[in-house]
Amino acid sequence: MNLSELTLDREGLAAAIACEDPAFEADLRKEAYRIKVATIGPEVYLRGLIEISNICAKNCLYCGIRRDIRCQRYELSEEEALATARIAAQRHFGSVVIQGGERTDVAFIRKITRLLKAIKAIDTGADPPLGVTLSLGEQAREVYEEWFDAGAHRYLLRIEATNPDLYHKIHPNDPLHSYDRRLQALYDLKEIGYQAGTGAMIGMPFQRAEDMADDLLFYKKFDAPMVGMGPYNPHPETPLTLTGAPYPSAERRFALGLKMIALLRLLMPDINIAAATALEVLDPRGREKGILAGANVIMPNITPEDQMVKYNLYDRKTSLPDGAMPVEEMDDKRIVIGYGRWGDSKHFSSALRPGVGKHDNHDSQ
Ligand code: SAM
Ligand code: SF4
């Protein structure tokens, strides 16, 4: 396949995803990088990743911290989480992501609300207050509202698989794991005024090239201002791995991860696309390669190291040391880091959203 033959409809995207020709894949990544720089510039934005807890009420069949897996559980205290956010401020990261297992108990909800307020009050010197992205799963609409009012302005909730049949193959079949509810949660987030990001895993058992093409078209239809998608990485003790169902090799999942970033950049030139953590466990320079394939966001993990090792979503999750920064030059390209900036998606116009003014954009400087 040649780049000139690529079309961005379902058929064309699926053909590109299925094509394993390295020359085509390299040309595609190069073109996506070119489009990114021409549309939103060369900057890469940082989000310090704080993995607040590996306690989860859900039981997704692929996840190494699912409710029914035996592992050592932890939860950062408010003070620990705040101290970690202060490190992000000191290092001029501009933003943090608070991610964790899904919990809907009142104690947890209120703790996040207090933490958000405390993070927004951190003295960042000349920088704007820290931007905060949450990734804490499905919550009641009122909870999303409470957290938005407390200062969170972006929320990452992956749809995981846009094909409902595939979704049901990788989740238990019960009301706690409802496809429709997850979709509704995404629309709730958008209506409240969050920059609602989504994404899916890439290279899962049972997943076809057409499913991945549909994932890309879903991001476009949802008009996602940011997308965080990444390769599926098996965890040895999860039900999905234990089914023995085949999935692409690590090398293919990595190439697919980069290819999905590149195709999405062609489809949605001005959105934020994260080079997911899952890329870096497949290749120590995975994040940088993601940037050169069209991504513009990196999330250095700043979770305290003794807890980070317990946030074991998949095999070899913690291959990079605590807070490791991307190299700033690769393949003759300089990776320009937008220090001290929120790095909001150029695609997101707060003027079109309710809640305007609550979270002023801090990227104008
Ligand atoms: N609990 C929240 C949720 O699920 O939305 C946020 C935390 S969850 C650990 C973050 C993401 O990890 C999920 O959206 C999922 O895509 C990813 N993840 C979990 N297990 C994975 C695996 N085996 N391979 C790749 N990604 C995985
Ligand atoms: Fe829990 Fe998220 Fe893992 Fe599902 S993916 S089991 S919701 S932490």
Side-chain angles (χ1 to χ4, degrees):
M1 183 168 183
N2 281 323
L3 203 50
S4 57
E5 294 161 4
L6 174 66
T7 54
L8 298 180
D9 52 10
R10 185 176 195 253
E11 207 183 323
L13 291 169
I17 291 163
C19 173
E20 297 189 10
D21 174 2
F24 166 71
E25 293 185 332
D27 286 351
L28 179 62
R29 294 194 295 264
K30 225 164 123 190
E31 176 62 2
Y33 180 80
R34 190 191 68 74
I35 289 185
K36 174 184 77 163
V37 173
T39 315
I40 56 171
E43 279 89 10
V44 173
Y45 296 103
L46 301 176
R47 324 270 186 240
L49 177 61
I50 306 173
E51 294 164 336
I52 193 155
S53 167
N54 68 354
I55 301 170
C56 188
K58 287 178 82 169
N59 234 345
C60 308
L61 300 179
Y62 44 82
C63 179
I65 61 170
R66 64 197 297 270
R67 190 185 64 214
D68 289 352
I69 218 161
R70 276 174 53 157
C71 65
Q72 207 186 340
R73 303 286 171 175
Y74 76 91
E75 182 181 354
L76 297 188
S77 69
E78 270 167 73
E79 202 32 63
E80 284 170 321
L82 190 58
T84 310
R86 281 200 198 96
I87 293 171
Q90 280 155 14
R91 293 174 68 176
H92 303 286
F93 279 6
S95 291
V96 290
V97 180
I98 302 174
Q99 193 187 83
E102 187 173 305
R103 282 177 55 186
T104 53
D105 54 283
V106 178
F108 182 73
I109 292 165
R110 292 293 121 74
K111 171 179 167 169
I112 297 298
T113 304
R114 287 191 301 272
L115 181 61
L116 283 166
K117 290 180 180 163
I119 289 177
K120 297 308 282 189
I122 291 175
D123 179 2
T124 57
D127 293 345
L130 279 174
V132 186
T133 307
L134 293 180
S135 180
L136 298 170
E138 291 156 46
Q139 303 286 340
R141 191 182 167 112
E142 307 79 67
V143 175
Y144 287 150
E145 280 166 354
E146 178 174 322
W147 290 344
F148 187 76
D149 290 342
H153 79 294
R154 297 185 283 240
Y155 203 106
L156 183 61
L157 185 74
R158 286 184 173 179
I159 188 70
E160 313 293 4
T162 50
N163 175 344
D165 291 339
L166 178 56
Y167 189 93
H168 289 125
K169 284 193 177 118
I170 61 169
H171 293 99
N173 198 357
D174 64 32
L176 193 60
H177 299 84
S178 148
Y179 176 85
D180 290 343
R181 188 163 172 261
R182 198 151 183 96
L183 200 55
Q184 183 57 49
L186 271 173
Y187 282 98
D188 284 348
L189 288 163
K190 197 177 209 182
E191 274 174 34
I192 291 166
Y194 282 96
Q195 293 178 43
T198 189
M201 285 177 287
I202 299 165
M204 284 183 281
F206 316 117
Q207 192 181 31
R208 304 160 309 156
E210 289 75 13
D211 295 322
M212 290 183 248
D214 285 338
D215 291 344
L216 294 171
L217 293 172
F218 169 77
Y219 309 144
K220 176 110 180 144
K221 179 170 157 236
F222 181 67
D223 200 24
M226 57 184 203
V227 171
M229 53 185 176
Y232 162 72
N233 288 325
H235 181 291
E237 288 158 45
T238 57
L240 191 58
T241 305
L242 294 172
T243 58
Y247 50 86
S249 68
E251 197 189 341
R252 270 326 293 158
R253 280 182 282 120
F254 185 70
L256 274 172
L258 297 183
K259 185 151 55 179
M260 290 290 279
I261 290 175
L263 288 170
L264 182 60
R265 181 57 73 196
L266 301 195
L267 208 53
M268 302 183 78
D270 62 351
I271 65 167
N272 276 354
I273 305 178
T277 316
L279 281 175
E280 82 193 30
V281 308
L282 294 171
D283 181 320
R285 289 279 160 251
R287 301 182 302 183
E288 289 84 347
K289 291 181 181 173
I291 295 302
L292 299 188
N296 69 323
V297 170
I298 284 183
M299 301 190 285
N301 197 333
I302 52 172
T303 310
E305 212 154 340
D306 53 333
Q307 311 291 22
M308 192 200 288
V309 291
K310 298 179 201 151
Y311 198 81
N312 203 25
L313 304 186
Y314 37 72
D315 219 7
R316 290 171 50 236
K317 152 92 178 38
T318 49
S319 58
L320 279 189
D322 189 9
M325 294 295 282
V327 295
E328 301 213 2
E329 185 138 357
M330 225 179 92
D331 294 353
D332 296 334
K333 307 236 171 27
R334 220 164 75 72
I335 296 184
V336 186
I337 302 200
Y339 283 106
R341 314 248 311 263
W342 280 13
D344 276 339
S345 164
K346 302 272 182 293
H347 190 78
F348 182 82
S349 165
S350 55
L352 299 174
R353 304 284 190 273
V356 180
K358 275 193 185 127
H359 304 301
D360 295 334
N361 190 300
H362 286 281
D363 288 327
S364 49
Q365 78 269 41

